[in-house]
Amino acid sequence: RPRWWYIAFSECSDAGEDLQMTYQMHLTNTGYGWASELSTDRRFMPHLFAVLVVVYGCLSFAQLHANRDVAARARDDSANGKAAHPFARILTAGVLLALGDSALSALHLAVFTSNGVGLPWIQVLSQLLSVTASFVLASLLLLVSQGKCISYIMVANDAWSMLRLL
């Protein structure tokens, strides 16, 4: 839950004039040490994204390795290899997009902990990658729910028709 600071200024004299002032504030959570720039709800986000980068990195490595094996089987003109190849490519794209999202979020938070602003354009790009990864993986789930790569062979046209549906 986000924490908000509320600060009020008031003119208490009888002059009836508007309060004119210039101010600059920088509020931190000093008890958090290196994470003093982070709010209470985001205090452990750098740790979470570091773990996600490692997990998605391992998944990406495994998926890329599996993709090479599937591509090699597809060259042998086997039906199994041809059926799994589009599925494996879509899954690889989703995992790589999630890895990019986690890595960019970790970078933004690392900079944010040092200057309190971070890299806003990196944060926007990270959110874009997150939405795209969710879209790709949800599309893959929809294809699997229709029996693609399970009951019958999935072809590239199936993926395009699913994209048009979404």
Side-chain angles (χ1 to χ4, degrees), residues 4-126:
W4 299 93
W5 292 95
Y6 293 98
I7 300 170
F9 297 101
S10 176
E11 171 65 53
C12 296
S13 70
D14 292 334
E17 297 177 13
D18 290 340
L19 178 63
Q20 299 292 323
M21 60 185 298
T22 302
Y23 64 93
Q24 181 178 1
M25 288 189 220
H26 186 112
L27 306 172
T28 60
N29 292 312
T30 56
Y32 293 168
W34 63 269
S36 64
E37 295 288 344
L38 298 174
S39 62
T40 301
D41 60 326
R42 294 176 182 252
R43 178 176 168 187
F44 296 108
M45 294 298 281
H47 302 91
L48 174 67
F49 280 112
V51 169
L52 285 175
V53 166
V54 171
V55 168
Y56 281 127
C58 291
L59 282 173
S60 296
F61 176 76
Q63 190 59 36
L64 289 170
H65 186 310
N67 239 10
R68 279 194 301 272
D69 289 347
V70 168
R73 270 191 276 143
R75 276 187 243 119
D76 296 337
D77 201 32
S78 69
N80 287 339
K82 288 181 180 177
H85 193 56
F87 182 88
R89 286 190 300 184
I90 294 170
L91 182 59
T92 302
V95 171
L96 288 173
L97 287 166
L99 173 63
D101 163 39
S102 297
L104 291 178
S105 293
L107 174 64
H108 167 69
L109 285 170
V111 174
F112 190 92
T113 58
S114 66
N115 67 6
V117 177
L119 302 169
W121 59 275
I122 289 287
Q123 184 181 20
V124 169
L125 184 58
S126 169

Side-chain angles (χ1 to χ4, degrees), residues 121-142:
W121 59 275
I122 289 287
Q123 184 181 20
V124 169
L125 184 58
S126 169
Q127 290 173 347
L128 179 66
L129 288 177
S130 175
V131 168
T132 306
S134 296
F135 176 78
V136 167
L137 294 174
S139 299
L140 187 61
L141 287 174
L142 286 172

